[in-house]
């Protein structure tokens, strides 16, 4: 199966990357837009000569992207060449310090924060 890759244009130029990276990046950028700080993310991009390399991009509240389809490769080749990066945690997370019930309190807190984050992104 051949599908279109994506060209992402931003204030610093443009790059071509895989569909899964693009989807993860766009979803993650909405989370960063609600945060008070910037983060960097390493993503794999297609260079002009056909090889891939890793670029570090800065995401902040001001991040804006335009996404367009470009020529495709097979889904298997895309998954191999363009792995989805791990995105840094944005926002507040509960941690377990110690004491009875601390783990449940942290889990409850994280659940509430996840629900808040999901609501703010809509």
């Amino acid at each position: 199966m051949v599908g279109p890759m994506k060209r992402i244009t931003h204030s610093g130029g443009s790059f071509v990357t895989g569909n899964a990276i693009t989807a993860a990046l766009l979803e993650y950028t909405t989370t960063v837009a609600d945060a008070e700080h910037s983060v960097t993310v390493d993503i794999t991009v297609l260079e002009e000569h056909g090889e891939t390399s890793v670029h570090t991009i800065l995401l902040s509240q001001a991040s804006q992207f335009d996404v367009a389809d470009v020529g495709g490769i097979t889904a298997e080749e895309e998954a191999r060449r363009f792995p989805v990066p791990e995105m840094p945690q944005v926002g507040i997370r509960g941690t377990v310090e110690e004491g009875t019930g601390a783990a449940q309190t942290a889990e409850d807190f994280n659940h509430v924060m996840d629900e808040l984050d999901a609501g703010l992104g809509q």
Side-chain angles (χ1 to χ4, degrees):
M1 175 178 162
V2 175
M5 295 185 53
K6 303 294 184 193
R7 175 173 302 282
I8 299 176
T9 304
H10 58 95
S11 62
S14 69
F15 55 87
V16 174
T17 192
N19 289 310
I21 290 175
T22 302
L25 184 62
L26 292 175
E27 181 177 337
Y28 182 71
T29 301
T30 61
T31 302
V32 172
D34 294 328
E36 295 180 12
H37 59 279
S38 302
V39 296
T40 58
V41 177
D42 294 333
I43 64 168
T44 304
V45 302
L46 182 66
E47 299 293 350
E48 290 184 22
H49 51 75
E51 296 297 317
T52 59
S53 65
V54 176
H55 289 225
T56 302
I57 60 170
L58 175 68
L59 301 175
S60 71
Q61 292 176 331
S63 295
Q64 295 182 355
F65 299 114
D66 176 67
V67 178
D69 290 345
V70 295
I73 59 176
T74 66
E76 293 79 18
E77 180 71 7
E78 181 179 319
R80 185 183 68 74
R81 293 182 71 187
F82 298 93
V84 177
E86 289 199 27
M87 306 291 185
Q89 178 65 45
V90 176
I92 301 170
R93 299 296 291 181
T95 58
V96 176
E97 294 290 326
E98 57 183 67
T100 307
Q104 183 61 48
T105 301
E107 186 177 313
D108 292 345
F109 179 81
N110 288 338
H111 179 72
V112 169
M113 292 307 297
D114 289 342
E115 287 181 345
L116 286 172
D117 287 343
L120 292 174
Q122 295 180 1

